[in-house]
Amino acid sequence: QLQLVESGGGLVQPGGSLRLSCAASGFTLSYYAIGWFRQAPGKEREGVSCISSSDGSTYYTDSVKGRFTISRDNAKNTVYLQMNSLKPEDTAVYYCGASDYCSGYVLIPGDYWGQGTQVTVSS
């Protein structure tokens, strides 16, 4: 079965950190660009970050630059999103997807998506 599974979400206080994981089964993540998206209640899904398959270039939306880091561990077939200095406005369900390439920090539409993991930043 081809799927992506996100994990690592939770409740964290403002200023705290979380590391999200996006693990693939049934296919090799290193062949794909991987993007992270988020959707807050009542808002549209937005791109957060993307990492290319070709050279590992990384891209971020302005609101997370300097706080979030996307990375790959090809041996574990997993992509991570390290989130530091979290703010209440980062609260959302975070999704990962796999596709052919990044269009800046937004992954182009692809065939593989995870079910999401909830991140809540609150005191």
Side-chain angles (χ1 to χ4, degrees):
Q1 186 177 2
L2 308 178
Q3 62 178 353
L4 291 171
V5 178
E6 302 96 336
S7 62
L11 173 63
V12 64
Q13 292 186 343
S17 298
L18 285 173
R19 189 179 76 161
L20 305 184
S21 299
C22 173
S25 61
F27 66 102
T28 303
L29 266 187
S30 62
Y31 296 157
Y32 295 86
I34 306 298
W36 284 97
F37 293 76
R38 65 187 180 186
Q39 187 166 19
K43 295 187 177 182
E44 294 185 354
R45 186 177 296 193
E46 62 172 351
V48 174
S49 181
C50 196
I51 184 167
S52 71
S53 59
S54 56
D55 60 3
S57 295
T58 59
Y59 308 90
Y60 303 93
T61 189
D62 285 346
S63 63
V64 308
K65 282 180 181 176
R67 300 189 298 122
F68 290 12
T69 303
I70 190 171
S71 62
R72 291 180 180 272
D73 186 335
N74 291 335
K76 294 184 178 180
N77 211 26
T78 300
V79 168
Y80 301 101
L81 186 68
Q82 178 68 44
M83 306 187 298
N84 299 328
S85 302
L86 282 162
K87 304 176 181 180
E89 51 263 44
D90 295 317
T91 295
V93 178
Y94 283 71
Y95 302 86
C96 65
S99 187
D100 291 335
Y101 61 89
C102 304
S103 178
Y105 62 85
V106 179
L107 183 74
I108 67 163
D111 294 330
Y112 304 120
W113 290 99
Q115 295 301 306
T117 185
Q118 176 70 48
V119 171
T120 303
V121 184
S122 175
S123 56

